Amino acid sequence: MPRIKGVVRIDSESTHGWQVRVYRYGNTYSRLFSDKKFGGREGAFEAAKEYRTELAEEIAALPEAAPRRRLIASNTESKNGVVGVSRTHKRDRRGVQHEVYTVSWNPEPGVARGTSFSIKRYGEDEAFRLACTLRWTKMKEIYGHRYHVESPDVLLARKEAVDERAEARRAK
């Protein structure tokens, strides 16, 4: 019998038949075609093949489900409230340290990209706003309509609130 993707033979003490199993969009579609019910090994195989073809057509007609990966746009526990944006420092070629806002994103699994915006060049608020805008743009390119985040002005207000809470904790 020819090999068909998603159709496997099961022969155990109590079960003899063909198992059809297909995975799509995080769901598993499975059905067993027993030899006894379908008149023998060949009859069960033919029924499994037919079911596999019908199932593939049905699944192809389904709307594409959203990827299972959760998208987190903001985090009140982070220092600035925005995932993928952080205030840090970089050293230039001469070894001089510069304060920057770095932004990072993953265009595909296992691939990391990032850049930074100088606080000295742009100022604290504008460097943060540029980093947030770039992060938002890249995430929109990757995830489309699924990625929603507030405007950079709202993010800047959130960052200021987080900064005030941190300052109040330090003052205690």
Side-chain angles (χ1 to χ4, degrees):
M1 285 177 212
R3 293 188 67 153
I4 297 174
K5 184 177 180 177
V7 179
V8 296
R9 180 73 186 164
I10 296 180
D11 283 312
S12 67
E13 287 183 27
S14 61
T15 305
H16 300 282
W18 295 92
Q19 176 82 40
V20 177
R21 189 175 299 141
V22 178
Y23 304 97
R24 287 291 187 280
Y25 311 129
N27 296 317
T28 302
Y29 302 87
S30 179
R31 185 168 169 197
L32 177 70
F33 294 85
S34 72
D35 294 349
K36 188 173 186 179
K37 187 174 180 182
F38 290 92
R41 185 179 179 122
E42 288 79 20
F45 181 72
E46 290 303 316
K49 272 193 337 187
E50 187 176 313
Y51 175 75
R52 171 69 172 87
T53 302
E54 291 170 7
L55 183 60
E57 290 170 5
E58 285 179 32
I59 290 172
L62 292 174
E64 184 173 337
R68 292 170 51 188
R69 184 174 170 188
R70 275 184 44 205
L71 298 178
I72 300 171
S74 64
N75 179 357
T76 57
E77 298 300 316
S78 73
K79 288 187 179 178
N80 62 31
V82 182
V83 173
V85 175
S86 61
R87 188 179 198 281
T88 186
H89 62 274
K90 286 177 76 172
R91 292 193 186 277
D92 65 15
R93 293 181 183 137
R94 297 170 297 166
V96 177
Q97 184 171 302
H98 300 278
E99 298 295 317
V100 296
Y101 273 99
T102 61
V103 57
S104 62
W105 64 94
N106 298 89
E108 57 189 69
V111 177
R113 296 285 182 260
T115 190
S116 61
F117 295 92
S118 169
I119 293 172
K120 182 178 177 183
R121 175 185 286 168
Y122 297 109
E124 181 83 27
D125 291 349
E126 186 60 17
F128 179 74
R129 183 177 286 116
L130 288 168
C132 290
T133 301
L134 179 62
R135 167 80 177 180
W136 182 80
T137 302
K138 293 299 184 182
M139 296 301 282
K140 278 289 202 183
E141 287 174 9
I142 297 165
Y143 295 105
H145 70 281
R146 286 190 57 231
Y147 190 80
H148 172 75
V149 69
E150 297 90 354
S151 72
D153 293 328
V154 172
L155 295 174
L156 185 57
R158 182 182 296 143
K159 175 190 168 295
E160 290 168 357
V162 169
D163 289 347
E164 288 172 11
R165 284 195 304 269
E167 190 65 35
R169 279 194 301 263
R170 274 186 245 127
K172 286 183 181 178

